[in-house]
Amino acid sequence: MSDVYAESTTGADPTDPATLARYTTLRLGGAAGRLETATSADEIVHRVQEAERREDPVLILAGGSNVVIGDRGFPGTVVLVRSRGLRVVGEDADTVTVRVEAGEPWDDLVAATVANGWSGLECLSGIPGSAGATPIQNVGAYGQEVAETVTGVQVYDRTDGSVGRIDAADCGFVYRGSIFKYSDRWVVLSVDFRLARSPLSGPVRYAELARALGVEVGDQVPLADARATVLRLRAGKGMVLDAADPDTWSVGSFFTNPVLELEAYELLRERAADLGEPPAWPGAGDVVKVSAAWLIDKAGFVKGHPGPEGVAISSKHTLALTNRGGTASTAALVALAREIRDAVHDRFGVTLHPEPVLINCTI
């Protein structure tokens, strides 16, 4: 990926191989103390163990699409995960289980499953990053999330030095999270996905996608049609990587959709009474998921809203905070995120939480 990072970043030398801006979709972040590449699961374990013997802090970095790295970089060892490949490890008449190496580019995997007639990941097309990152944040979009298809995750346990498997039931999957997200105990080595043998998508759950496909919610469509439509929708929001388009120089959605208890949701409705009904979806139990994009827009932050020092809200999607090049810095990006979070809280009483992992920076 380093060949597309030509823009300068504040506090970072883009020609320095250790500059982490070269390895993130935001194109921001300072230098690594030490940068090493691992091309297999064994190499990942070896690199981490070597760093631990040196008493170095360790950062595992693959696609760099869901991480915000501070301008001072990371003082320890950064392991670039570049393992590749997938293989069938189980099958029956109705399903196939594939084991995917952590560094496999996610959209390459989705394309392969669609081509093979395996259903379950098609609505996750176009998401940047690696397969190993998907269980960490329980990646989801357009009505699908990986928790529905993951059967297990092969990991290196840094606590006891063992390599083993964590079954899906023990991964602690929640909305955009898991046991892996805020813990450095486990290093993901590969992921098992169980997919349906079917030329059709799963039932379409997302209203926007159903409209774009010209079907009803709950209908099924050919896998290739679902993938092509999702890619088109994502591209229209700047959510498919394009080296020439600064709207894609982001981590995708910067904030998660708030999940509110019913009492908090009713208070939000009262505070937003002059703006109409907040877009919301009932969740499991007495909770409601609310549109973060709507809250941000109604708090006065529209598409294209400029921030300080070369950062801005995407001109295509309110939830994406973007690096516009030139003097942009992580400090400027998190300042914009902080401004948005505080304004939404002041206006609606709802606290937005960042979706990406923040390294040596905070909002």
Side-chain angles (χ1 to χ4, degrees):
M1 295 177 64
S2 60
D3 57 329
V4 301
Y5 292 98
E7 294 286 348
S8 175
T9 54
T10 298
D13 176 3
T15 65
D16 179 358
T19 297
L20 298 175
R22 297 166 63 92
Y23 307 106
T24 68
T25 55
L26 259 173
R27 307 180 180 212
L28 295 174
R34 186 186 187 104
L35 189 66
E36 298 188 345
T37 299
T39 60
S40 69
D42 287 345
E43 276 195 0
I44 296 169
V45 173
H46 179 66
R47 300 295 189 195
V48 172
Q49 289 176 335
E50 281 190 328
E52 290 172 334
R53 281 193 287 270
R54 294 191 299 269
E55 299 186 347
D56 260 0
V58 178
L59 173 64
I60 307 298
L61 188 62
S65 62
N66 196 51
V67 62
V68 181
I69 300 174
D71 296 310
R72 291 178 295 174
F74 186 78
T77 296
V78 175
V79 178
L80 296 176
V81 175
R82 297 295 183 260
S83 52
R84 295 286 189 271
L86 63 97
R87 59 191 176 93
V88 174
V89 294
E91 55 187 322
D92 56 33
D94 299 317
T95 68
V96 59
T97 300
V98 292
R99 179 162 297 166
V100 187
E101 297 302 313
E104 182 71 14
W106 175 253
D107 197 52
D108 289 358
L109 167 63
V110 178
T113 64
V114 169
N116 280 287
W118 302 335
S119 175
L121 303 180
E122 59 280 354
C123 292
L124 304 178
S125 293
I127 294 176
S130 68
T134 59
I136 294 173
Q137 69 172 99
N138 188 15
V139 164
Y142 295 101
Q144 285 183 342
E145 60 182 20
V146 296
E148 300 167 357
T149 54
V150 170
T151 62
V153 181
Q154 288 71 45
V155 299
Y156 170 61
D157 187 335
R158 297 179 61 191
T159 298
D160 62 18
S162 67
V163 173
R165 171 188 166 95
I166 299 179
D167 290 335
D170 298 318
C171 288
F173 288 127
V174 294
Y175 171 63
R176 298 301 176 269
S178 69
I179 63 171
F180 310 113
K181 186 164 184 179
Y182 297 112
S183 172
D184 62 0
R185 173 177 175 177
W186 298 283
V187 179
V188 175
L189 304 177
S190 63
V191 187
D192 291 351
F193 299 90
R194 180 182 293 130
L195 307 171
R197 293 183 183 275
S198 172
L200 298 179
S201 70
V204 176
R205 301 171 183 162
Y206 204 77
E208 180 189 18
L209 178 58
R211 288 193 299 270
L213 285 162
V215 301
E216 298 296 321
V217 171
D219 288 349
Q220 295 176 276
V221 300
L223 290 174
D225 291 355
R227 174 169 166 77
T229 303
V230 167
L231 286 171
R232 177 167 55 82
L233 289 172
R234 289 185 63 86
K237 299 173 182 178
M239 296 293 188
V240 176
L241 290 182
D242 181 347
D245 182 3
D247 273 336
T248 74
W249 302 357
S250 75
V251 288
S253 297
F254 194 91
F255 295 105
T256 59
N257 291 320
V259 178
L260 306 178
E261 302 289 339
L262 288 180
E263 182 179 356
Y265 175 62
E266 291 303 323
L267 290 173
L268 166 62
R269 293 181 67 199
E270 291 177 13
R271 297 181 73 155
D274 58 324
L275 299 172
E277 193 73 9
W281 305 267
D286 293 331
V287 298
V288 178
K289 183 166 67 174
V290 180
S291 168
W294 187 90
L295 294 171
I296 292 167
D297 180 78
K298 299 306 181 184
F301 297 88
V302 298
K303 295 174 185 177
H305 178 92
E309 301 177 39
V311 302
I313 293 176
S314 166
S315 68
K316 300 181 180 74
H317 197 293
T318 313
L319 272 178
L321 307 188
T322 64
N323 167 11
R324 313 309 291 189
T327 61
S329 66
T330 301
L333 188 91
V334 297
L336 175 59
R338 192 178 301 119
E339 181 186 4
I340 293 168
R341 179 202 61 191
D342 292 348
V344 167
H345 187 270
D346 290 346
R347 177 66 176 85
F348 299 112
V350 175
T351 300
L352 296 179
H353 297 283
E355 183 168 326
V357 176
L358 308 181
I359 304 296
N360 285 348
C361 60
T362 182
I363 68 167

